[in-house]
Amino acid sequence: MDTNGATTSSAAGGGSTSKSSSKKHSRKPVISTFTIIGIIFIPLGLVSLSASEKVVEIVDRYDESCVPSDYSNDKLKFIQNPSINKSCVRTLTVPKLMKSPVFIYYQLDNYYQNHRRYVKSRSDKQLRSVSDEKSTKDCSPEDKTVDGPIVPCGLVAWSLFNDTYVFSVNSKTIEVNKHDIAWKSDKEHKFGSNVYPKNFQSGGLIGGAKLNSSVPLSKQEDLMVWMRTAALPTFRKLYGKIEQDLQANEKIQVVIQNNYNTYSFSGKKKLVLSTTSWIGGKNDFLGIAYIIVGGLCLFLAVCFILLYVIKPRPLGDPSYLSWNRSPAGHPN
């Protein structure tokens, strides 16, 4: 019996089977990957855009309109003069039904809360515990007064937003709910229930809103919202919630106390009323991004298919790889 022949034949047959199997399973899944991404991303983008379109939003810039004509050329003089009445009345028209809750935001433009010195000018230890009241080393120049340390200290707290809004429809005041506008983690862990404002905004230069010294920081939600510094120079912060539906074409009268100084750095102030959807507020960018990425993936998948059909590239034989080859003199 020619065992060598049988062995050789078997080896040859095995090699042939190996090559055939290798060719069958060596196709790269690039085309299918791009196709799957495109099929998933494009519908997701369309759904996101649809949800964003259902969000009803009113945006009203008031920083220029709320300056009397006598001070139109010197807005800084207007905002820095405490004897001038800062009240301003604006009328907003509801474009279509806004179901409750309607979220109220204030938007600031050209305001760099992410500036390094500004962000560092605070004391998280002091905010958490009364025992760290004197931990103000990072808060200069708003660290202390002649009467002792400032609580809360630092430029972030000192510059607390202090414009106010009162809403009414048909001469009937709309209640604004200012509870639960801050993060739960901030209320429970970052701002102490035994820490009270002390010597705050008592210096010669007032930066923004004052705080009720009889209310602990864990209850001062406007402060908590403000202390979460924004990453970009244009940002919105939650002011409160209107917990009633606003009907289409209703006229909302807003009495604004235009107190906050954005004129010294050419900033802008806007009042925003908005509903929400499952993606949050109005955000077309997310849907557009999904559609662009999905469309690009489908385009690349089609290009690869055409390239494969018109000019196919022969697959390499992995049996020629060094780790698949037998050492010299040793049969497979």
Side-chain angles (χ1 to χ4, degrees), residues 247-288:
Q247 303 301 320
N249 301 316
E250 270 188 336
K251 302 291 184 183
I252 304 175
Q253 190 177 69
V254 188
V255 179
I256 301 173
Q257 288 296 325
N258 182 27
N259 300 314
Y260 201 70
N261 181 12
T262 57
Y263 305 106
S264 58
F265 55 88
S266 301
K268 300 175 184 177
K269 293 188 289 186
K270 297 175 184 177
L271 171 63
V272 181
L273 274 65
S274 178
T275 58
T276 59
S277 67
W278 63 270
I279 61 169
K282 197 171 187 65
N283 183 6
D284 291 341
F285 173 79
L286 185 64
I288 293 171

Side-chain angles (χ1 to χ4, degrees), residues 105-245:
Y105 302 89
Y106 55 88
Q107 177 176 319
L108 298 179
D109 295 359
N110 199 36
Y111 194 116
Y112 289 83
Q113 268 199 321
N114 60 349
H115 189 282
R116 182 178 61 85
R117 288 194 63 187
Y118 181 89
V119 170
K120 291 179 65 177
S121 186
R122 60 187 292 164
S123 173
D124 290 324
K125 285 184 178 180
Q126 186 199 63
L127 296 172
R128 281 193 298 266
S129 174
V130 68
S131 61
D132 291 311
E133 182 180 278
K134 296 182 179 179
S135 299
T136 61
K137 66 176 182 177
D138 296 324
C139 294
S140 181
E142 292 298 317
D143 53 347
K144 58 185 176 180
T145 66
V146 293
D147 298 319
I150 298 173
V151 182
C153 68
L155 291 174
V156 182
W158 174 80
S159 60
L160 176 61
F161 187 78
N162 63 341
D163 283 5
T164 61
Y165 313 107
V166 177
F167 301 86
S168 62
V169 174
N170 298 325
S171 300
K172 184 179 179 181
T173 301
I174 300 175
E175 294 296 326
V176 176
N177 182 3
K178 295 181 72 67
H179 296 292
D180 296 326
I181 62 173
W183 288 31
K184 185 178 179 181
S185 59
D186 288 353
K187 291 189 286 185
E188 294 181 353
H189 304 294
K190 292 190 175 182
F191 292 80
S193 59
N194 62 346
V195 182
Y196 291 81
K198 187 176 180 181
N199 302 317
F200 187 71
Q201 303 287 23
S202 61
L205 185 61
I206 305 301
K210 295 186 178 183
L211 298 174
N212 189 336
S213 59
S214 64
V215 178
L217 295 188
S218 61
K219 301 292 185 182
Q220 308 259 14
E221 296 197 43
D222 282 326
L223 175 68
M224 297 180 207
V225 171
W226 180 257
M227 294 289 283
R228 277 198 167 268
T229 51
L232 300 174
T234 296
F235 57 86
R236 293 178 180 180
K237 290 186 181 289
L238 187 60
Y239 179 84
K241 295 174 285 186
I242 296 174
E243 296 182 327
Q244 69 178 62
D245 293 348

